[in-house]
Amino acid sequence: MLVSEVCRCTDLTKKAVEYYVGKGLVVPGVLENGYRDYGEEDVEILRRIGVLRKLGIGMEEIGEILRDGSGEAFRKAALQREMESRRNVKKDVLLRELCGGKSFSEAWEELRALEVEETVGERLIDAFPGYYGKIVCLHFLRFLDEPVRTEEQREAYETVLGFLDGMPAFEVPEDVEEAMGGVLGQMGTEQLEEMLGKVKESMEEPEAFFAENSETIEWYLAYRQSEEYQNSAAGRWMECMRNFQAASGYTEVFLPAMKRLSPSYAKYCRRMEAANEQLLERYPGAENLLMNDR
């Protein structure tokens, strides 16, 4: 079909259609008279582009989404938009506080913290693809709302970015990724944050947590030692994670830098380590029950 009909089918202007063709997102055929000939597949792609553009997705991201058959680029773009929306909410609050008399120096510090959160968050999303990447991002962003004031924090910030930029790929077998995605993909952001929050809360009073959940912990410890667990998607995924941590410098470089960057994260890790010691006192041989990635 000709471009005029395409415009009617997609609600796009001729200029927009030609722009997307120029970007290589749509490659129509060419008739003998030199006019472009758009097929049904071209029209469908243009419809998708129109939807994504109305959602505010940038052209580079749209190209990635169209080229990616796994849906990973789509999930990445959605998470980026969600994080951006959250930052905008914080900025709106900050603007109202400025109207109410908050000092500009305080506002500047908070905006710098938001910039750190945004930059590290973007790197985390790129470094850890898939549903696990969303959990990693949500986990660490909770500790990145503090201003970078000291030279040690600035050094740690650069170390974190350098590690994430040069980090080797976190590779997981396709069937394991699919199985884990089937579980985690059903959980929305609020559910994931609630889950992470409960882990953090359990570190506040570990003795009470262990006492209240003793049966579950004992069952889980036994299950972790079973052949069924070792062959499960969760068991194989954990093995991939351990191998990645050992080979990438994640434990030796990234986590220590995060502690130097974020005082609240360092505090969280100390509580996690104390809780782990109490766990091992109760259940000798329970290494790695608490996630080593903090």
Side-chain angles (χ1 to χ4, degrees), residues 52 57-82 122 125-126 128-131 177:
L52 294 172
I57 305 299
M59 291 304 302
E60 183 175 347
E61 293 170 302
I62 288 176
E64 293 177 0
I65 290 171
L66 294 177
R67 289 189 296 270
D68 175 38
S70 67
E72 174 58 32
F74 221 142
R75 291 190 291 269
K76 176 182 172 182
L79 181 56
Q80 288 173 325
R81 287 297 305 280
E82 188 172 349
E122 290 286 341
I125 293 172
D126 287 337
F128 294 95
Y131 293 101
E177 174 67 26

Side-chain angles (χ1 to χ4, degrees), residues 113-127:
L114 280 178
E115 290 173 0
V116 170
E117 177 184 313
E118 177 180 6
T119 305
V120 176
E122 290 286 341
R123 300 296 207 286
L124 286 169
I125 293 172
D126 287 337

Side-chain angles (χ1 to χ4, degrees), residues 210-226:
F210 296 146
E212 293 172 5
N213 297 275
S214 59
E215 290 186 6
T216 301
I217 292 173
E218 290 170 5
W219 171 85
Y220 184 59
L221 288 174
Y223 175 61
R224 284 284 294 269
Q225 296 174 3
S226 70

Side-chain angles (χ1 to χ4, degrees), residues 154-271:
R154 283 188 283 272
E155 174 276 326
Y157 177 56
E158 294 300 328
T159 299
V160 166
L161 296 185
F163 174 82
L164 293 174
D165 285 342
M167 192 187 84
F170 176 47
E171 297 181 350
V172 178
E174 186 175 342
D175 62 323
V176 174
E177 174 67 26
E178 184 177 348
M180 295 299 290
V183 176
L184 299 175
Q186 298 176 17
M187 301 178 67
T189 298
E190 291 185 2
Q191 290 176 296
L192 291 173
E193 288 186 324
E194 182 181 357
M195 178 184 71
L196 293 169
K198 287 182 178 179
V199 172
K200 187 176 181 181
E201 288 174 9
S202 70
M203 299 304 100
E204 303 290 336
E205 298 289 341
E207 281 290 345
F209 175 79
F210 296 146
E212 293 172 5
N213 297 275
S214 59
E215 290 186 6
T216 301
I217 292 173
E218 290 170 5
W219 171 85
Y220 184 59
L221 288 174
Y223 175 61
R224 284 284 294 269
Q225 296 174 3
S226 70
E227 184 176 348
E228 178 185 356
Y229 172 79
Q230 299 301 325
N231 294 328
S232 69
R236 293 168 62 201
W237 183 88
M238 282 296 295
E239 183 64 26
C240 292
M241 188 66 195
R242 284 193 293 269
N243 293 338
F244 167 78
Q245 289 180 344
S248 67
Y250 180 85
T251 305
E252 295 79 9
V253 178
F254 175 71
L255 293 182
M258 278 295 303
K259 293 177 187 178
R260 298 194 301 276
L261 173 62
S262 169
S264 63
Y265 179 67
K267 181 179 180 181
Y268 169 80
C269 287
R270 288 193 296 271
R271 287 179 173 171

